[in-house]
Amino acid sequence: MTEPATFSLALPNEDATAALMADLALLISAGDVITLSGDLGAGKTSAARAMIRYLAGDDELEVPSPTFTLAQSYDLPSFPLVHADLYRITEPSEMEEIGLSPLPEGTVALIEWPERAEGDLPADRIDIALTHRPALGSLARAAEITGHGKAAAIVQRLQSLREFLEEARTLDAGRRRMAGDASTRSYARLIRDDGVFILMNAPKRPDGAPVYGGKSYSAAVHLAEDVKPFVAIANGLRAQGISAPAIHHADLDAGFLITEDFGIEGVIEGSPPAPIVERYQAATDMLAVLHGKQLPETLPLLPHQDYTIPVFDTDALLIEVGLMPEWYLPDRDAAPSDALQAEFLALWRELLTSIEAAPRTWVLRDFHSPNMIWLPARDGINQVGVIDFQDTVLGHAAYDVVSLLQDARIDVPEPIELAMLTRYIKARLAAEPDFDPASFAEIYAIMSAQRNTRLLGTFARLNRRDGKPHYLKHQPRIWTYLNRSLAHPRLTAFREWYERYVPAPG
């Protein structure tokens, strides 16, 4: 049995309480249970209200006490949440009557007066025991935070996070929630008098069980499993004149970073969102400049410790495309037989092996609109701020051009794609007279087919395995991009195979 984890701290005012609840919110996920105990007036509802407002991204959100309603539900951006007050519960059986026994699946539960439901709460939970300390101030409290069962790990991480923030002198900063991504990382803005910074919470965690030759999916395809690649690549990009965030404070072992904040101005506009052509031109130029450099394969990380950028080899590329028959085809009622799956992988292995000798460069991997911030105060290609590059590998330059011009999150019209592709090729030719446009265009089609095949499977997996159905809305776009690339003569056999065995998204 896991031993409980406990730590205590003083909360001198409402801002300190709000900061604690925001820090805890950074670490929890759907299904977690947080109980708030303490006497009347200890601040349980204030603490719950602070967390709900943080998660909603709305400091003015009305969060009434659920004393009379008993339970109040919120549909928040990260997950649904129920805020319950059990003060009027007289016996645990009443929990079922108000929809709290069992607790709603996939929902965070904030429960005041948990002792009224003794024996009817999950063993895995976080308890925050609040005590009013009027001698220290009218709103001063003491908090004892205990993690029971599996939640002990969350409380231990919360204590580490608070220690990290104190060491970085940002414990008193204001917090603002930031949207997360498809990973296990989470983010917050830290607001101080001297500026705004980004807090990254990136716990070391493999993506999946060790089923790929004894490796997790993330290890097999060279996805970052901790913050070390992010730090090394960020420093490496800045050394090459690319706008990547400066690292202000880091705990590489725990997985906490405080970085420069590039703001929120993007490279798309409108509804539905579409590329801002001038900004896509700058991004295209940035890739051409980066790909034209002789880049190191090993980067300094710490004194006497380097980071070696992994190679995006054929085995990794094959595992990625394998997500399509594994996850997408079953969703389309077209699960392949073992023989058909072997045929699919044999086709891909032959194609990918044929381009192994092509020159390699840094492949940022997800160089598309969500990961580009426009920096109008800077000049030229430095106006393109780059984030989310921790999965950088050594591979073909065409991969990132595909990422940009066949954006998985927004529609890039084919005329814009072709105009930017032509712009990139012209820039490379101007700097490198031996650059081969025909060869590049062919590998561009191959990388497009590989990436979009993988994305069909990735988005199906995010829905079915991770409970993130909103990614399915991108599948029709991915299908359109995939069919553009399959029109290339080099991919005729693939076009015929996909037409026969791969149904369009429903």
Side-chain angles (χ1 to χ4, degrees), residues 306-349:
D306 292 335
Y307 174 72
T308 300
I309 302 174
V311 175
F312 209 13
D313 54 22
T314 294
D315 286 342
L317 291 162
L318 280 172
I319 289 171
E320 285 196 337
V321 295
L323 293 180
M324 191 274 288
E326 181 181 357
W327 294 92
Y328 174 78
L329 289 184
D331 281 359
R332 310 270 21 100
D333 296 323
S337 65
D338 290 345
L340 193 62
Q341 189 154 349
E343 181 182 325
F344 170 81
L345 292 174
L347 276 170
W348 270 108
R349 181 174 292 280

Side-chain angles (χ1 to χ4, degrees), residues 83 94 110 220 229 254 267 314 379 389-390 408 446 453:
H83 177 201
E94 295 179 48
L110 273 174
V267 297
T314 294
D379 298 320
F389 40 70
Q390 61 282 332
I446 294 171
T453 296

Side-chain angles (χ1 to χ4, degrees), residues 74-91:
Y74 298 86
D75 189 13
L76 301 175
S78 300
F79 35 65
L81 180 147
V82 60
H83 177 201
D85 185 328
L86 307 185
Y87 185 71
R88 294 166 57 210
I89 294 290
T90 58
E91 56 183 58

Side-chain angles (χ1 to χ4, degrees), residues 147-378:
H148 299 275
K150 294 178 181 178
I154 300 175
V155 169
Q156 290 168 343
R157 188 159 184 81
L158 176 63
Q159 183 174 9
S160 297
L161 172 59
R162 302 282 294 181
E163 292 169 353
F164 170 77
L165 292 170
E166 185 170 25
E167 183 180 337
R169 299 181 181 179
T170 55
L171 192 58
D172 295 333
R175 275 49 160 196
R176 290 292 180 274
R177 177 190 172 274
M178 293 179 64
D181 52 27
S183 73
T184 58
R185 296 180 295 274
S186 55
Y187 305 86
R189 280 194 162 85
L190 301 176
I191 303 168
R192 304 192 313 186
D193 291 341
D194 60 343
V196 180
F197 306 90
I198 301 295
L199 168 64
M200 180 193 296
N201 165 53
K204 181 176 175 59
R205 191 175 302 171
D207 181 8
V211 296
Y212 297 94
K215 296 180 179 180
S216 66
Y217 175 80
S218 51
V221 303
H222 314 304
L223 299 178
E225 294 184 345
D226 57 36
V227 296
K228 293 176 182 178
F230 183 94
V231 173
I233 299 298
N235 293 335
L237 286 169
R238 286 198 309 280
Q240 297 298 330
I242 304 299
S243 293
I247 311 297
H248 296 305
H249 204 78
D251 185 331
L252 298 184
D253 292 327
F256 298 124
L257 298 179
I258 294 175
T259 74
E260 181 180 8
D261 181 14
F262 280 163
I264 60 172
E265 189 168 351
V267 297
I268 58 178
E269 64 181 359
S271 181
I276 301 173
V277 173
E278 295 80 4
R279 298 181 183 184
Y280 267 63
Q281 289 173 338
T284 300
D285 294 344
M286 191 214 84
L287 286 181
V289 170
L290 183 65
H291 295 162
K293 292 174 176 282
Q294 291 291 323
L295 299 172
E297 298 184 1
T298 300
L299 297 168
L301 178 62
L302 293 169
H304 314 298
Q305 183 178 347
D306 292 335
Y307 174 72
T308 300
I309 302 174
V311 175
F312 209 13
D313 54 22
T314 294
D315 286 342
L317 291 162
L318 280 172
I319 289 171
E320 285 196 337
V321 295
L323 293 180
M324 191 274 288
E326 181 181 357
W327 294 92
Y328 174 78
L329 289 184
D331 281 359
R332 310 270 21 100
D333 296 323
S337 65
D338 290 345
L340 193 62
Q341 189 154 349
E343 181 182 325
F344 170 81
L345 292 174
L347 276 170
W348 270 108
R349 181 174 292 280
E350 181 181 2
L351 180 66
L352 294 171
T353 301
S354 71
I355 62 171
E356 282 181 337
R360 291 170 175 157
T361 187
W362 292 0
V363 173
L364 306 183
R365 212 147 172 185
D366 279 320
F367 186 70
H368 54 180
S369 60
N371 298 331
M372 294 186 289
I373 309 297
W374 189 250
L375 306 173
R378 303 189 186 186

